[in-house]
Amino acid sequence: MLSDNSLLDFKLTEEPLVSCSVTPKLSCSLRWRQGNLWVSRTYGSRDIPLPALASEEWFRACLNRSRAKAVCIDPTLGNAAVTLWAKACKEAGKPLYVRIPSTSALPHKQNPLGWMAKRLCDQAATAVLLVILSPLMLVLAGLIKLQDGGPIFYCQWRVGQRGKLFRIFKFRSMVVNAENLHYKVMGDQRGLHKLQDDPRVTPLGKWIRKFSLDELPQLLNVWRGEMSLVGPRPWAIYDAERIAPELQHRLNALPGITGAWQVEARSTEVDLTAVNRRDLAYLETWTVWQDLKFLLLTVPKVLMGSGAY
């Protein structure tokens, strides 16, 4: 019989071996594939009570001792479950991937030399921008801290290249613990989860959002290789899980700070399908010169504060 603390440390079969529940609302089935742990949604109510997954603390300790190289999770488990696994994987030092369809229609596969040039430009430009913008970023950090004494940065799990989850950095523009009120504020909103009169946004937050200053810390994500200066929108989990199945392969792409949606539509287009189709059109026709065009068009958009909230 398996001990409570070794649940994730044995070799699972190709078929689901165990269905479990970390909390009463987060049920899942586990299976082992090529050294990775696959987490799927449980259908039915045949959960096996496992003490090792009865609390988040035991769950994280169990994952920390697992020999799994990475974890691949079904996005239909929902935002709460994926976020819980993301936090546990971060503590265990294991990458977490959202399960999405594979695709070969990506710039780094279609034009590897051009993509290499893009990534080199990302690194060089980001280094320069961080130096130039650091005084402004320090002033903004001070203003945010003086406003209510809360955290300066807002970190959120986003879906990155090949579905790998990463923590995006932003200057905090909302009240402390605003994420806990997300579903209460957004309700059953079917499109992109953005609200023009979001009551969680602070007075200072409205101003820094208007001129996209809250996104400056994302330069750190670019430096770390998690984002590009130009690319598709980096989807939050609660948006990514609602993308139509035939468009989910878009999540394989490296996201960017600015891009087609940010320049051509921005907050005037919040339909998930329309935004993803626009991103796919960008990826299918990608060139270095197209990225340069979007960067240049971003400057007047930011200075005028058009379409941002």
Side-chain angles (χ1 to χ4, degrees):
M1 179 177 291
L2 296 168
S3 66
D4 293 341
N5 294 330
S6 62
L7 172 64
L8 303 183
D9 198 33
F10 59 83
K11 185 173 181 180
L12 300 177
T13 63
E14 287 295 325
E15 296 301 318
L17 179 62
V18 63
S19 90
C20 52
S21 180
V22 178
T23 71
K25 295 183 179 180
L26 303 183
S27 298
C28 56
S29 62
L30 309 177
R31 71 176 67 188
W32 186 271
R33 283 188 180 177
Q34 300 176 342
N36 299 321
L37 187 67
W38 285 56
V39 185
S40 303
R41 187 174 181 178
T42 296
Y43 295 93
S45 57
R46 297 181 297 174
D47 293 342
I48 303 172
L50 295 167
L53 298 185
S55 70
E56 291 187 26
E57 183 180 352
W58 280 54
F59 166 60
R60 291 172 182 172
C62 191
L63 183 60
N64 191 52
R65 284 191 282 271
S66 169
R67 289 194 295 266
K69 295 179 293 185
V71 177
C72 184
I73 193 167
D74 184 350
T76 64
L77 278 166
N79 181 65
V82 175
T83 300
L84 185 147
W85 277 90
K87 291 178 180 178
C89 286
K90 181 177 182 293
E91 290 186 8
K94 301 180 189 297
L96 177 67
Y97 294 84
V98 172
R99 193 178 312 164
I100 52 176
S102 60
T103 179
S104 59
L106 293 174
H108 70 274
K109 294 184 177 180
Q110 300 294 326
N111 186 354
L113 290 179
W115 188 258
M116 186 182 299
K118 169 188 172 76
R119 299 303 294 141
L120 290 173
C121 289
D122 274 344
Q123 291 291 313
T126 299
V128 173
L129 287 171
L130 283 171
V131 172
I132 294 175
L133 296 173
S134 57
L136 173 60
M137 294 174 71
L138 286 173
V139 170
L140 290 172
L143 291 174
I144 294 169
K145 194 65 178 178
L146 287 173
Q147 177 183 239
D148 55 17
I152 294 171
F153 297 106
Y154 169 69
C155 299
Q156 185 186 46
W157 291 103
R158 296 291 179 100
V159 182
Q161 192 171 24
R162 295 173 52 225
K164 184 178 181 181
L165 266 66
F166 71 97
R167 295 280 274 174
I168 199 171
F169 300 113
K170 286 189 172 188
F171 280 128
R172 183 172 60 85
S173 59
M174 295 186 178
V175 296
V176 178
N177 297 323
E179 193 73 8
N180 297 335
L181 302 172
H182 178 83
Y183 288 103
K184 184 177 181 179
V185 172
M186 295 300 168
D188 296 325
Q189 186 167 316
R190 303 182 69 178
L192 184 63
H193 277 195
K194 289 180 69 69
L195 201 61
Q196 187 165 5
D197 297 316
D198 194 322
R200 299 171 299 168
V201 179
T202 65
L204 175 62
K206 289 182 180 179
W207 181 75
I208 64 175
R209 281 188 170 205
K210 179 177 176 61
F211 298 103
S212 299
L213 297 174
D214 59 317
E215 298 186 6
L216 289 179
Q218 291 176 38
L219 290 170
L220 297 174
N221 291 115
V222 177
W223 180 256
R224 288 157 53 127
E226 298 162 334
M227 293 180 66
S228 173
L229 290 175
V230 182
R233 176 182 172 83
W235 289 116
I237 298 169
Y238 47 70
D239 283 323
E241 66 177 315
R242 295 180 296 125
I243 296 175
E246 66 272 17
L247 299 176
Q248 287 183 355
H249 62 283
R250 203 294 270 154
L251 295 172
N252 284 283
L254 182 70
I257 297 179
T258 187
W261 175 80
Q262 294 92 327
V263 169
E264 298 172 350
R266 216 167 187 181
S267 297
T268 60
E269 183 177 74
V270 294
D271 180 76
L272 281 171
T273 299
V275 175
N276 279 285
R277 291 195 185 282
R278 187 183 292 274
D279 286 339
L280 285 170
Y282 157 78
L283 293 169
E284 291 166 0
T285 60
W286 176 84
T287 63
V288 174
W289 303 114
Q290 186 182 38
D291 276 7
L292 180 59
K293 180 188 77 171
F294 283 134
L295 282 173
L296 293 175
L297 290 174
T298 298
V299 176
K301 283 278 187 179
V302 169
L303 292 177
M304 291 186 296
S306 56
Y309 56 81

